[in-house]
Amino acid sequence: MSGSPPTPRILETALYAEDLDAAKDFYGRILALETVTEVSGRHVFFRLAGSMLLIFNPTVAALGPRPGTLPVPPHGASGPGHVCFAAGAEGLETWRLRFAAEDIVIEADFHWPNGARSLYVRDPAKNSVEVSSPALWGFSHP
């Protein structure tokens, strides 16, 4: 077989949170992500444009599949994770105002040397949530 496969894109990413109700409120209500599915005490999944954000209870995800369920291997992480959402310049200001209205502390409002801007907050599980202009990585649109 010759040649390289096409460059992959991220289809899903996962974060971990023991309090899934708080995670659902943060990502669903505050960030306005669409909830696709949830299993009480195990996970809540959100749809984005062309990808998914999966929030798992770390204790349950580490156990692996139960008999008769999908064969997803055990997984997890310890400590705070990180996710970054793309937003244009106007979107970043809207997010700054939204976080302020929800009394969510902005840990950093940073202007990168390349002209990009990032806002950093924490979700209820203390994961680092960044909203940044796509120029951070040389992309031109959110």
Side-chain angles (χ1 to χ4, degrees):
M1 185 166 140
S2 64
S4 298
T7 302
R9 67 179 178 83
I10 294 177
L11 179 61
E12 63 185 32
T13 192
L15 293 174
Y16 299 89
E18 290 182 8
D19 186 341
L20 294 175
D21 290 334
K24 183 177 179 184
D25 181 65
F26 181 84
Y27 291 99
R29 185 180 63 81
I30 295 172
L31 295 186
L33 300 183
E34 174 192 355
T35 302
V36 174
T37 186
E38 62 183 300
V39 172
S40 181
R42 184 179 190 285
H43 68 255
V44 58
F45 296 169
F46 301 94
R47 183 180 318 280
L48 291 84
S51 64
M52 298 290 294
L53 175 63
L54 314 179
I55 310 290
F56 288 98
N57 177 326
T59 305
V60 177
L63 298 175
R66 295 180 318 267
T69 64
L70 299 174
V72 177
H75 55 85
S78 61
H82 174 75
V83 64
C84 180
F85 298 100
E90 290 178 13
L92 280 164
E93 188 57 23
T94 301
W95 281 115
R96 188 188 67 74
L97 295 171
R98 173 70 179 206
F99 293 141
E102 294 288 341
D103 292 323
I104 296 171
V105 174
I106 296 175
E107 288 187 313
D109 183 346
F110 185 76
H111 294 266
W112 295 90
N114 70 354
R117 178 182 177 198
S118 291
L119 300 174
Y120 291 86
V121 300
R122 295 280 170 176
D123 75 6
K126 305 300 182 215
N127 290 301
S128 174
V129 177
E130 177 183 5
V131 181
S132 182
S133 52
L136 175 63
W137 295 108
F139 300 116
S140 60
H141 55 81

